[in-house]
Amino acid sequence: MLISVLMKNQQDFDGLVRWFLHFRNANGLCAWQQIDDKHNRTYSNAPEGGTNSATDGDIDIATALFYAARVWGRSPCGRHDYRAIAIPLCKAIWDHEINHYTFMPTLGDWVKVPEQPIGAMGYSGGAHYGDESSYTNVTRPSDFILAGFLTFYNEDVERSPQWGKVMDAIITTVQHQLHLNPTGLIADFLKLSANGYFEPSNKKILESDNDKDYNWNSCRVPWRLSVYYLLTRDPRIEPALRAESTFFGSLSEIHAGYHLNGQRIHDRSYNDMSYTAPASIVMWTMSHPNCGRIQNEMEDLESDKSYFGDSIQMLCLLQAQNPRGF
């Protein structure tokens, strides 16, 4: 949806709006996974957890809808009022995908946040509701979509103060990661520590033993933070972006995964657009002198077709050119 509105392709955008409306779950968020039902020649939600939401997807959908409202207002037939769809989606994101005590994004609406604030942080961080609640004190930095939250702050007037607190909480967390690791690299998952800050865990949190590393989730962070910085020039995140740019600029090539100290993950001697494109945009944003070399590396990777990597590359290009979105 972001690509469609940034490319001013309303026909594709409206098709994706219909997809979102069809696959909204009971919380008003997008079900995260659909499967091809070849027998019935249709698509349906995946049977195990397919109706759960994924926070980054919902943020991008709502952001794209607000952009579309600025660009077109409504669909050509008048069927879809983009802003009228975006506002309830913002409410659902706030209600079900933001921890109301830490103001940090959760992993999705399947994470249960405690109802009562407990402790100095106003939040216990404990697991009170079974396995799903063990993730109440976890956040995923690939959801640190500050440009999206800035759009919510400006457009979703009813919840504007809350979105401001979300941005502040994310920026504080980004600043703390730089204090921990001068490379500026951020782990795939962060967990609330006793000191009140979100920090990498020394063991698997959700997906793999590399949850503590700069891996397949956080490879998107330089892109997401760069777009926000291009919009705002917010000095609070400039040091983190500068550190990331310096780190990537010091490498002969960008590999697909690093430990936070800058050492390559041992089995990642290959390259992937999912890592190279975000490295390129942060270096471009920070005017790093080696940016051209990384862009040449990206061109060499363009023959390696990957939906994930190609989508990230396209969005990096489009949002570098037009960070406002409209």
Side-chain angles (χ1 to χ4, degrees):
M1 290 178 76
L2 274 175
I3 291 172
S4 297
V5 70
L6 291 168
M7 294 287 289
K8 305 297 190 289
N9 182 342
Q10 193 173 14
Q11 182 176 359
D12 281 1
F13 186 84
D14 280 351
L16 292 166
V17 170
R18 290 193 295 273
W19 182 281
F20 162 65
L21 294 173
H22 182 75
F23 287 107
R24 274 189 299 191
N25 66 17
N27 290 326
L29 301 162
C30 190
W32 87 278
Q33 185 180 42
Q34 287 77 50
I35 56 174
D36 186 357
D37 185 346
K38 291 183 172 59
H39 179 71
N40 293 313
R41 297 183 180 180
T42 187
Y43 288 87
S44 58
N45 288 321
E48 295 185 11
T51 60
N52 293 336
S53 74
T55 301
D56 57 347
D58 291 310
I59 297 167
D60 281 342
I61 291 169
T63 302
L65 285 163
F66 281 125
Y67 290 171
R70 293 277 189 153
V71 174
W72 300 303
R74 306 174 66 95
S75 56
C77 62
R79 179 180 181 185
H80 301 305
D81 180 330
Y82 303 128
R83 182 178 177 80
I85 300 171
I87 294 294
L89 177 54
C90 270
K91 182 179 186 304
I93 292 169
W94 169 253
D95 287 344
H96 302 289
E97 294 179 328
I98 302 295
N99 185 310
H100 293 182
Y101 308 114
T102 64
F103 294 99
M104 293 292 285
T106 69
L107 306 183
D109 63 353
W110 52 276
V111 175
K112 307 304 179 186
V113 178
E115 295 178 1
Q116 296 295 328
I118 303 171
M121 287 290 293
Y123 169 54
S124 70
H128 302 299
Y129 295 88
D131 291 341
E132 293 173 344
S133 292
S134 64
Y135 297 105
T136 56
N137 58 348
V138 171
T139 194
R140 179 174 44 213
S142 57
D143 299 334
F144 291 1
I145 309 174
L146 286 169
F149 291 122
L150 179 63
T151 299
F152 300 171
Y153 176 83
N154 291 326
E155 301 286 347
D156 182 27
V157 178
E158 182 179 345
R159 281 162 289 277
S160 184
Q162 292 96 310
W163 297 126
K165 291 179 181 179
V166 170
M167 287 190 290
D168 288 343
I170 289 172
I171 290 168
T172 297
T173 299
V174 170
Q175 291 172 319
H176 185 64
Q177 305 318 298
L178 181 59
H179 172 74
L180 297 174
N181 300 289
T183 60
L185 300 178
I186 298 179
D188 260 19
F189 294 91
L190 303 174
K191 193 170 185 178
L192 188 65
S193 297
N195 63 13
Y197 290 101
F198 283 86
E199 298 183 343
S201 174
N202 58 6
K203 58 184 178 180
K204 175 182 175 180
I205 292 179
L206 180 66
E207 295 182 355
S208 74
D209 290 338
N210 293 121
D211 286 354
K212 64 184 182 302
D213 297 316
Y214 180 78
N215 203 34
W216 291 100
N217 286 299
S218 277
C219 65
R220 290 167 275 174
V221 170
W223 151 45
R224 299 296 200 177
L225 298 184
S226 293
V227 175
Y228 172 75
Y229 185 74
L230 289 169
L231 278 169
T232 64
R233 299 293 171 178
D234 190 331
R236 295 177 295 173
I237 66 163
E238 182 179 357
L241 293 175
R242 187 75 61 191
E244 291 174 354
S245 175
T246 299
F247 169 72
F248 291 126
S250 71
L251 302 175
S252 59
E253 57 182 327
I254 309 297
H255 289 112
Y258 291 90
H259 300 299
L260 300 186
N261 64 4
Q263 296 297 310
R264 176 175 60 82
I265 297 174
H266 71 91
D267 59 350
R268 305 292 181 82
S269 58
Y270 58 91
N271 317 103
D272 192 279
M273 190 67 79
S274 309
Y275 292 81
T276 307
S280 176
I281 190 174
V282 73
M283 290 174 67
W284 180 80
T285 300
M286 294 289 105
S287 301
H288 194 284
N290 290 340
C291 184
R293 177 171 55 78
I294 301 301
Q295 290 174 338
N296 291 336
E297 183 181 325
M298 255 195 326
E299 291 179 7
D300 294 338
L301 286 170
E302 287 180 352
S303 60
D304 300 335
K305 300 301 181 184
S306 160
Y307 176 79
F308 186 61
D310 290 349
S311 298
I312 292 173
Q313 181 195 25
M314 177 63 78
L315 283 163
C316 285
L317 174 63
L318 293 172
Q319 292 195 294
Q321 294 176 331
N322 180 16
R324 289 179 67 240
F326 50 87

